[in-house]
């Protein structure tokens, strides 16, 4: 399953950090962050609870960029 989320991030480098953090989260098959459109597209692993995975993605993103936001 793929879902698109609106994000709030200040720069392209920060978006890149968010993408890396999201891709390193259990349950995420692939994540892409587009700084220009301020969107994150997440493809989830089969059978996972995407809401819980996104809570962990947000937590991991906040570790690398504390002022970022993902609108879940």
């Amino acid at each position: 399953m793929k879902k698109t989320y609106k994000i709030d991030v200040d720069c392209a480098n920060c978006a890149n950090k968010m993408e890396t953090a999201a891709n390193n989260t259990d349950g995420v098959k692939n994540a892409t962050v587009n700084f220009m459109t301020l969107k994150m597209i997440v493809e989830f692993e089969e059978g996972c609870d995407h809401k819980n995975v996104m809570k962990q993605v947000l937590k991991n993103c906040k570790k690398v960029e504390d002022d970022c936001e993902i609108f879940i």
Side-chain angles (χ1 to χ4, degrees):
M1 170 194 337
K2 276 188 184 180
K3 291 188 77 76
T4 302
Y5 299 91
K6 186 177 183 307
I7 62 170
D8 184 22
V9 64
D10 296 331
C11 67
N13 186 45
C14 300
N16 189 43
K17 289 178 184 179
M18 287 179 67
E19 181 174 289
T20 300
N23 276 307
N24 289 327
T25 304
D26 288 339
V28 174
K29 189 173 187 178
N30 185 48
T32 306
V33 173
N34 186 319
F35 174 67
M36 297 302 288
T37 62
L38 293 176
K39 292 186 178 174
M40 175 186 283
I41 300 170
V42 181
E43 183 177 359
F44 298 96
E45 300 268 336
E46 196 69 34
C48 71
D49 179 2
H50 71 276
K51 290 181 182 181
N52 286 332
V53 171
M54 283 309 296
K55 287 178 186 175
Q56 189 61 46
V57 167
L58 178 59
K59 193 180 291 186
N60 290 345
C61 286
K62 292 271 188 193
K63 288 179 187 175
V64 295
E65 193 54 47
D66 62 347
D67 64 346
C68 72
E69 191 62 59
I70 302 172
F71 300 98
I72 302 172

